[in-house]
Amino acid sequence: GADLVALLESAGAPQGAAAIDHLAQACLMHPLSSTKRQELAAFLGELPPPAEWARQREQLNEKLRSLMVLMFSMPEYQLM
């Protein structure tokens, strides 16, 4: 039940690949390869504008939690 939207909001509400970079930096010991980053960006898709995050908070958190599950299953996370 982590509030990943709040984590991104505290980082200045990064969008798209910048959101992935922020979460990866917070959770992974090794940087993402460009291929992995692109795969995660394709999964995440476009985020709504930050002004709409409050209305869509639960849906965004679900999507971001799914993204984190993908990150945690990657070898980059397992090498911690």
Side-chain angles (χ1 to χ4, degrees):
D3 189 354
L4 297 171
V5 172
L7 178 68
L8 292 179
E9 287 173 331
S10 70
Q15 292 287 305
I20 292 167
D21 291 341
H22 181 76
L23 294 172
Q25 184 178 17
C27 299
L28 303 176
M29 292 290 289
H30 302 281
L32 291 172
S33 69
S34 61
T35 302
K36 293 284 186 185
R37 186 175 183 253
Q38 288 173 344
E39 290 171 1
L40 293 172
F43 172 80
L44 182 61
E46 291 294 319
L47 295 176
E52 295 179 23
W53 287 11
R55 281 189 307 120
Q56 300 178 29
R57 189 172 215 87
E58 190 53 41
Q59 296 92 336
L60 283 172
N61 269 317
E62 281 184 39
K63 185 79 165 183
L64 291 168
R65 286 183 201 122
S66 295
L67 177 74
M68 296 305 298
V69 168
L70 290 175
M71 281 187 180
F72 293 158
S73 67
M74 294 174 10
E76 291 85 346
Y77 178 76
Q78 303 300 322
L79 294 172
M80 289 182 76

